[in-house]
Amino acid sequence: MTNETASRDPARGFVPGTFSIAARDADAEEFGVAVSTALVGVGALCPFVSENAAIATQSFVKVSHGSNGIALADRGVSVPTALDALLADDEHASYRQVHGIDADGRTYAFSGSDCVDWYGHLEAEDHTVAGNMLANGDVIESMSETFEETEGELAERLMTALEAGQAGGGDKRGKISAALLVHSPEPKLYHNLRIDSSEDPVGDLRDAFELGRETEADLPASADEMLGDYPEEILDFGLKH
């Protein structure tokens, strides 16, 4: 595991900080990102996934770093090569924080020197974690340790890691939004969830997650009750990313 941290004067006013984890489950061929912040609608800004990679872009966010990084990964470029090239072409890279993992388990994490304290990132087996304007450095360490210790499917491990980050102090300004995004060969209703404005976004995301799992489990019986005989394929909804 490698771990990098840095510090700067936090007295800069409001900036869109966040804490997030990007991860893969190689056996299940799944990639995912979980994130929370004290800014509205983080799910529209930070998480990007495909069948080849998971990337989170944050701090003074540049959404195209996520979308372009995923596009390059889908063309066979490694996540470290893709993100390094995108940041090299960004004149404001010092304000960015970007991290992710690809299908070969290669990780990348970058925190620019103009991110707001506390900020830092780490890279570990099958996941990366990063945060800025956090209460303390324990947040990302706790997220990584919790992810490694949690059993089960990737979505649950990401959700539990996010809860650990919030319990560890989270964004020091407070909390507004959270999101979970997973790419899976077998997409589920709880693989694409967003809480855009809430007093307890991570708690509300967990509630939505559990409701999604319950709904997913109840779908066959509900369809039986409503339709009687039906083609099972109509329950394969797919999932947009």
Side-chain angles (χ1 to χ4, degrees):
M1 178 186 296
T2 64
N3 184 22
E4 299 180 14
T5 63
S7 297
R8 290 184 65 87
D9 182 359
R12 298 188 176 209
F14 182 83
V15 293
T18 187
F19 57 99
S20 64
I21 177 169
R24 71 162 185 164
D25 182 328
D27 293 336
E29 299 181 341
E30 294 181 340
F31 289 89
V33 174
V35 55
S36 185
T37 189
L39 178 73
V40 68
V42 71
L45 301 171
C46 176
F48 293 84
V49 299
S50 76
E51 62 184 347
N52 297 299
I55 293 172
T57 174
Q58 55 201 56
S59 186
F60 288 88
V61 66
K62 187 169 185 178
V63 169
S64 63
H65 285 343
S67 57
N68 289 338
I70 288 293
L72 288 167
D74 288 344
R75 290 164 52 188
V77 180
S78 74
V79 158
T81 298
L83 295 181
D84 208 36
L86 291 169
L87 287 164
D89 197 41
D90 181 357
E91 64 178 320
H92 302 302
S94 66
Y95 294 92
R96 316 295 188 197
Q97 196 170 49
V98 187
H99 64 102
I101 184 169
D102 63 28
D104 290 321
R106 294 168 295 201
T107 61
Y108 182 89
F110 171 84
S111 298
S113 59
D114 286 311
C115 292
V116 179
D117 193 36
W118 187 96
Y119 69 88
H121 59 259
L122 63 81
E123 302 174 54
E125 184 176 1
D126 286 332
H127 69 283
T128 57
V129 186
N132 63 87
M133 206 173 187
L134 300 183
N136 54 64
D138 294 341
V139 173
I140 64 170
E141 293 284 354
S142 179
M143 291 175 70
S144 178
E145 291 171 4
T146 299
F147 179 80
E148 291 174 340
E149 294 168 358
T150 302
E151 298 181 352
E153 63 179 317
L154 181 63
E156 173 62 38
R157 297 176 70 196
L158 289 169
M159 187 69 243
T160 304
L162 194 69
E163 291 171 323
Q166 186 61 66
D171 189 318
K172 66 184 178 184
R173 298 158 301 157
K175 45 194 178 181
I176 294 177
S177 66
L180 173 70
L181 184 62
V182 174
H183 187 286
S184 172
E186 299 181 7
K188 306 297 184 183
L189 292 175
Y190 52 90
H191 283 172
N192 188 346
L193 299 174
R194 286 172 49 176
I195 304 298
D196 285 339
S197 179
S198 168
E199 294 182 356
D200 182 17
V202 175
D204 287 347
L205 189 67
R206 168 59 81 175
D207 290 344
F209 182 81
E210 296 299 338
L211 180 59
R213 287 210 288 203
E214 293 172 11
T215 302
E216 188 82 40
D218 291 345
L219 273 173
S222 296
D224 284 342
E225 182 178 344
M226 290 185 292
L227 301 174
D229 292 332
Y230 65 93
E232 293 183 2
E233 292 79 8
I234 67 171
L235 299 185
D236 294 333
F237 298 144
L239 197 69
K240 72 175 183 177
H241 296 291

